Amino acid sequence: MKYAHLIGKMTLEEKASLMSGKDFWTTQNIDRLGIPGIFLADGPHGIRKQAAAADHLGLNASLPATCYPAAATIANSWNVELAEKLGECLGQEAAAQQVNVLLGPGINMKRNPLCGRNFEYFSEDPYLAGKLAAGYIRGIQANGISACVKHFAVNNQEERRMSIDTIVDERTLREIYLTAFEIAIKEGETKAVMSSYNQLNGSYTNENIHLMQEILRGEWGYKGVVVTDWGGSNDRVAGMLAGNELEMPGTAGETNEEIIRAIRSGMLSESVLDECTDRLLDLIYSTGSAVGQTKAFSVIEHHEIARSAAEESIVLLKNEEDILPLRKETRLAVIGDFAEKPRFQGAGSSIVNPTLTDNVLGCLEQSGIAGIGYEPGFERYGKGDAWKRRKAVSLAAKAEVVLLFLGLDEVTEAEGLDRQSMRLPENQTDLLNAVHEVNSNIVVILSCGSAIEMPWIHKVKGLVHGYLAGQAGGEAIVRILTGEVNPSGKLAETYPLSYADTPSYHSFPGKEVSVEYREGIYIGYRYYDTTDKEVLFPFGYGLSYTTFAYSNLQVSKSHVAFELTNSGGVPGLEIVQLYVGCRSDKIFRAKKELKAFTKIYLYAGETRTVSLAFDDKTFRYFNVKTNRWEIEEAEYSIYLGASSADIQLEGLLFVEGTRTPLPYDKEKLPAYYSGLVNHIPLDEFEHLLGTKAPVPDWDRMQPLGYNDTLAQCQYARGAAARFTYRLMVFMHWLLVKAGKRSTANLMMMSVYHMPFRGLARMTGGRINMAMLDGVLMMVNGDFFKGVRCVVREQRRKQKRQKSREQ
């Protein structure tokens, strides 16, 4: 151990005290030994260090920090160097604000378009997500602080995220949901990992020995710290055994006592605590020097970097009749609430208090475009407003081109809740239809963090997707529209024609006990390409104001090389994508998978030879019989393209394999071998799992326990609990009707779907587990006995507190 000399001086109680937070964001300090506490802060796309009382829900304002484009936006840049540069800026700002650990990046897969937190994640592809995350981590940690990659693992829905059991087969787990973490942890060398709230195949992730010990620490050799998501600790001792050092936030010493009792009873070896303490001390001291000196950063310089990042990430999706770039003399009508009040970031724990903000209206005026006026056109949060629509239509009728700013609002995409549909609000599509009746020259600019349906796309000539472009996104969008910047972003996720086309349509989200990943490895483009399913926009798609030509492909055992030419009239950036597909049918595979990519800048007419190397992930698959990565001996198709559907060059390569037993009985997995996984029968899914799937519904006859949610009070034996449930439902309805959707969402996230143990884990010790026992007695029908228990335990807690103070 690195800090054995210091650990040897510590009492059992002191070591245990380090294992949970001192408060909401700070770890425990030990003054006697000169061990400081460290500060952890949210910040996947900007620092959120709160200036007032701490909370995890974004209620209190944070210190000003640069709001960079969200991860869903940066993923469209496909630029690892850019990710690393943003990481450096984030790390610099974190150090300046005395933050030791920055809680990001988030790299969960976009299994389903409706996941409410998709704006905070990179992609549906693990290779792209992992490479970008590794860049972020290297940049953040170059400043001496720690990144904290999250949420480990298979946290792909927000509804019931603190208790849902994710049921997934081992191969899918390894190839799809862990590969991004593997790349980020090995190549980024992150100092911290955050475990997710959910269960994985029956056990909470931070207690899951297979995930935390066998894979993370065993196979990947991870030596850093694992921290729980806030309130995500279930059984503290089980978490310690799995190698979970830090529980956040603090519980006023209650879980520390659980650790001490477990060691004294022999349930837990003190050597396990010593190892956890050693890893945590390394995090404390390795980040301490970085925050020891306040380092100022240039607000203007970081704002410009945020703008440059947005420019590389904005995606041009349609440009019929070359309506873009705009001409200076164009008579332009600007319509849409988002042009005046930009939506540039997500909602929840990632909300950043920006240092500066741009809006499109101001930036357009500065660009010299001949605008004839602006109208908001619609009410931001979905309420119909015929008067606003009429005024917008009247303005559109006078213009040559209409810039129509549409998108999703801040309460539709938010942490803790999943979206209810893939559609834009009806009042926005009504406006688009009305504008189209008087003017067909429409350019839509979208502001949202995830995929949407676009049944209206035939009515627009131009489509620019800004995603959530950060505080400088307004100027970035204007520079794209005017041609000052040539768009180069490409989609990091597929846009299906309709939500019903998605492979997880029938199994998202899990509503009660569990969620079944029946589609297996076929998420995103892996499904659409394999089944030849038509999509709106394929993975990797994006237009430019120039064109590129691919030629002269050469394939060797170690790499591919080809020539790329800018065949258009202006300089531009092209994202080159390498896909590989196995031509054997012995093991079910996606038709092709992304295995390398690069971004190349070329002047008009310039040609460059591009080389992309194969790596250890190019040909591998996970064999569930040998329980390790293998290579199937076969011929492989090598595809080079501008998107997953736009393959420009194709070659063949024979690859020698590891010649191991085949993992599957083909006759028992017909849907998986065909790729038609949209509606997998239970027996076939269970054959893939190798075990019975748990019953996905609540047992309504059982008494409610620690890991049941407040939503389940509708089935409680106690009348008071059932009344509380009905009151919650009524209050939610009332808040929505009153236009307080943000507050309604907050209630759903922090109350309705909260497990009972969250009352103890998230209240900083105000409610302890003994008091929670009393609450559960009331819920389960012993009301007065429960009240007495709560009162008694509250008095005992107060006495213990007074004793400690004396």
Side-chain angles (χ1 to χ4, degrees):
M1 292 191 299
K2 191 173 181 179
Y3 295 92
H5 64 289
L6 185 56
I7 294 171
K9 298 176 183 178
M10 297 168 69
T11 65
L12 176 60
E13 288 76 11
E14 286 172 331
K15 288 184 286 189
S17 74
L18 292 178
M19 297 296 104
S20 64
K22 181 179 182 179
D23 51 38
F24 214 85
W25 297 113
T26 308
T27 66
Q28 184 65 49
N29 58 294
I30 302 176
D31 292 337
R32 180 180 74 84
L33 296 172
I35 300 173
I38 59 174
F39 196 96
L40 301 90
D42 280 316
H45 63 270
I47 317 304
R48 192 178 79 93
K49 184 177 183 182
Q50 289 170 298
D55 74 274
H56 191 51
L57 305 174
L59 297 178
N60 296 323
S62 56
L63 299 174
T66 309
C67 181
Y68 298 96
T73 315
I74 294 299
N76 297 330
S77 77
W78 294 61
N79 189 333
V80 175
E81 290 74 22
L82 175 63
E84 191 162 342
K85 178 63 177 176
L86 288 186
E88 289 175 9
C89 294
L90 287 165
Q92 186 181 355
E93 294 190 32
Q97 292 193 16
Q98 309 291 296
V99 170
N100 299 72
V101 180
L102 192 61
L103 301 175
I107 60 172
N108 295 99
M109 289 297 96
K110 295 185 179 183
R111 173 183 179 240
N112 185 283
L114 299 187
C115 175
R117 212 167 178 179
N118 274 352
F119 63 85
E120 210 170 308
Y121 302 139
F122 290 111
S123 179
E124 67 189 32
D125 182 82
Y127 191 86
L128 177 59
K131 291 291 184 178
L132 291 169
Y136 265 85
I137 293 164
R138 287 191 297 268
I140 290 168
Q141 296 188 167
N143 292 272
I145 70 159
S146 172
C148 183
V149 67
K150 61 184 185 182
H151 306 89
F152 191 62
V154 288
N155 179 187
N156 308 107
Q157 70 176 64
E158 290 297 286
E159 184 171 332
R160 302 200 74 251
R161 61 179 178 166
M162 293 187 75
S163 55
I164 198 75
D165 189 4
T166 300
I167 309 302
V168 59
D169 69 282
E170 184 72 9
R171 181 182 168 202
T172 298
L173 174 68
R174 300 297 196 112
E175 293 187 13
I176 303 299
Y177 297 100
L178 295 187
T179 291
F181 284 99
E182 179 187 359
I183 295 169
I185 289 165
K186 287 182 175 180
E187 297 182 16
E189 297 183 347
T190 185
K191 298 177 184 179
V193 171
M194 182 188 291
S195 58
S196 56
Y197 284 125
N198 55 285
Q199 298 179 66
L200 168 60
N201 293 331
S203 65
Y204 281 93
T205 57
N206 79 307
E207 303 168 9
N208 193 302
I209 296 296
H210 178 53
L211 183 68
M212 291 293 177
Q213 288 287 1
E214 295 172 3
I215 298 175
L216 177 64
R217 300 208 185 270
E219 294 181 23
W220 298 351
Y222 178 63
K223 304 296 184 186
V225 165
V226 175
V227 56
T228 67
D229 203 341
W230 266 236
S233 176
N234 171 50
D235 183 321
R236 188 65 191 99
V237 174
M240 287 282 295
L241 287 168
N244 172 203
E245 285 78 17
L246 183 59
E247 173 195 32
M248 291 298 289
T251 58
E254 181 177 25
T255 52
N256 303 338
E257 290 297 324
E258 293 175 9
I259 294 169
I260 292 167
R261 287 196 299 270
I263 289 173
R264 287 177 174 163
S265 70
M267 183 188 303
L268 179 68
S269 170
E270 191 168 353
S271 64
V272 172
L273 175 60
D274 289 347
E275 290 175 7
C276 290
T277 303
D278 189 65
R279 290 193 287 259
L280 186 59
L281 288 173
D282 194 44
L283 181 66
I284 291 169
Y285 287 115
S286 68
T287 60
S289 57
V291 300
Q293 304 174 18
T294 300
K295 303 173 184 177
F297 64 93
S298 169
V299 170
I300 299 299
E301 180 184 347
H302 282 207
H303 181 78
E304 290 174 351
I305 291 170
R307 188 205 71 221
S308 178
E311 289 168 359
E312 273 207 48
S313 307
I314 292 168
V315 188
L316 177 62
L317 292 173
K318 188 175 182 180
N319 195 20
E320 191 176 294
E321 299 177 11
D322 291 328
I323 195 169
L324 295 175
L326 298 169
R327 300 183 306 277
K328 289 281 186 182
E329 65 275 12
T330 304
R331 286 175 52 80
L332 200 66
V334 181
I335 297 173
D337 181 72
F338 295 103
E340 181 181 16
K341 294 175 283 186
R343 165 111 196 278
F344 55 85
Q345 62 175 322
S349 64
S350 67
I351 291 177
V352 177
N353 181 13
T355 55
L356 301 167
T357 51
D358 291 341
N359 76 5
V360 169
L361 287 179
C363 295
L364 271 173
E365 188 175 333
Q366 294 171 13
S367 74
I369 294 286
I372 63 169
Y374 160 75
E375 289 294 339
F378 57 85
E379 199 278 329
R380 192 180 188 92
Y381 297 103
K383 186 178 179 181
D385 194 320
W387 180 72
K388 282 185 177 180
R389 185 165 64 246
R390 283 196 300 269
K391 289 189 70 177
V393 171
S394 176
L395 178 64
K398 304 170 187 175
E400 290 180 75
V401 174
V402 177
L403 293 184
L404 187 54
F405 287 79
L406 307 176
L408 299 176
D409 59 60
E410 293 82 353
V411 295
T412 298
E413 291 183 290
E415 178 184 355
L417 298 162
D418 296 314
R419 287 195 289 156
Q420 297 305 301
S421 81
M422 282 185 67
R423 297 183 295 273
L424 284 177
E426 188 175 358
N427 65 342
Q428 294 186 37
T429 54
D430 287 346
L431 172 64
L432 189 155
N433 292 331
V435 167
H436 183 261
E437 290 180 4
V438 300
N439 194 327
S440 62
N441 292 323
I442 301 172
V443 177
V444 165
I445 298 92
L446 287 173
S447 298
C448 51
S450 49
I452 60 170
E453 292 176 357
M454 302 183 198
W456 39 261
I457 194 167
H458 61 285
K459 294 184 177 181
V460 307
K461 291 184 178 178
L463 179 59
V464 175
H465 203 329
Y467 269 75
L468 303 179
Q471 67 179 49
E475 185 178 0
I477 287 170
V478 169
R479 282 161 62 89
I480 294 285
L481 293 173
T482 60
E484 190 172 349
V485 172
N486 189 353
S488 64
K490 295 195 176 188
L491 294 175
E493 59 188 321
T494 307
Y495 277 56
L497 287 170
S498 71
Y499 179 55
D501 291 339
T502 58
S504 55
Y505 174 73
H506 293 286
S507 56
F508 179 93
K511 288 289 186 180
E512 297 191 0
V513 172
S514 62
V515 55
E516 296 170 350
Y517 284 32
R518 293 198 186 189
E519 72 280 0
I521 63 170
Y522 296 102
I523 76 165
Y525 72 90
R526 286 168 166 79
Y527 168 70
Y528 302 113
D529 286 0
T530 303
T531 59
D532 294 320
K533 188 80 172 177
E534 184 182 358
V535 298
L536 181 63
F537 296 115
F539 176 78
Y541 176 84
L543 301 176
S544 171
Y545 295 148
T546 190
T547 56
F548 296 92
Y550 294 64
S551 61
N552 299 330
L553 175 65
Q554 298 178 25
V555 180
S556 74
K557 290 186 176 182
S558 61
H559 70 284
V560 298
F562 68 100
E563 290 184 349
L564 180 69
T565 301
N566 182 339
S567 52
V570 295
L573 285 156
E574 171 70 335
I575 296 166
V576 174
Q577 302 159 43
L578 169 67
Y579 297 87
V580 173
C582 182
R583 296 171 69 87
S584 165
D585 63 355
K586 294 179 181 178
I587 302 167
F588 67 83
R589 314 279 280 264
K591 182 178 180 180
K592 54 181 175 292
E593 298 179 312
L594 181 72
K595 296 299 181 180
F597 59 90
T598 190
K599 196 166 189 177
I600 306 291
Y601 181 85
L602 294 174
Y603 293 103
E606 182 183 2
T607 297
R608 188 183 303 180
T609 298
V610 180
S611 178
L612 293 170
F614 302 142
D615 63 18
D616 63 325
K617 297 169 185 65
T618 303
F619 303 107
R620 73 178 191 177
Y621 76 96
F622 192 82
N623 188 310
V624 293
K625 277 193 175 178
T626 63
N627 196 38
R628 63 174 183 255
W629 294 101
E630 306 285 4
I631 295 174
E632 183 181 2
E633 187 166 294
E635 267 196 335
Y636 289 79
S637 292
I638 308 298
Y639 305 99
L640 277 160
S643 79
S644 65
D646 183 11
I647 300 304
Q648 297 286 314
L649 299 171
E650 184 174 346
L652 286 176
L653 180 66
F654 178 79
V655 178
E656 294 182 0
T658 47
R659 300 183 183 181
T660 51
L662 295 177
Y664 303 117
D665 182 343
K666 188 174 182 179
E667 293 182 357
K668 294 182 178 179
L669 297 171
Y672 291 104
Y673 274 85
S674 70
L676 298 171
V677 296
N678 186 259
H679 207 323
I680 294 282
L682 178 60
D683 60 342
E684 187 171 347
F685 177 58
E686 289 182 334
H687 186 78
L688 182 69
L689 280 176
T691 186
K692 287 284 186 183
V695 176
D697 304 317
W698 290 316
D699 184 346
R700 288 151 172 75
M701 302 304 293
Q702 291 294 318
L704 299 184
Y706 295 141
N707 291 318
D708 294 311
T709 64
L710 299 179
Q712 291 171 252
C713 284
Q714 60 187 298
Y715 309 117
R717 297 173 184 174
R722 294 194 300 274
F723 173 77
T724 301
Y725 167 77
R726 294 189 186 100
L727 182 62
M728 279 194 297
V729 172
F730 172 75
M731 288 300 298
H732 182 266
W733 173 85
L734 188 64
L735 288 166
V736 171
K737 285 293 183 183
K740 304 289 186 181
R741 285 177 60 202
S742 182
T743 306
N745 287 353
L746 185 64
M747 187 181 83
M748 293 295 286
M749 177 175 74
S750 59
V751 180
Y752 191 83
H753 291 303
M754 175 78 75
F756 283 99
R757 63 177 163 80
L759 298 175
R761 298 301 194 226
M762 291 290 278
T763 57
R766 293 178 182 87
I767 298 175
N768 61 24
M769 295 300 285
M771 294 166 66
L772 184 58
D773 288 337
V775 171
L776 286 170
M777 289 177 195
M778 289 185 270
V779 166
N780 289 315
D782 291 326
F783 182 81
F784 294 106
K785 182 179 179 181
V787 170
R788 289 194 295 271
C789 177
V790 171
V791 172
R792 181 178 67 249
E793 294 302 330
Q794 172 67 13
R795 288 173 178 167
R796 288 177 178 174
K797 186 167 76 73
Q798 290 172 343
K799 287 181 180 179
R800 288 194 297 270
Q801 180 64 30
K802 286 181 180 179
S803 176
R804 281 196 295 268
E805 290 172 355
Q806 291 172 355

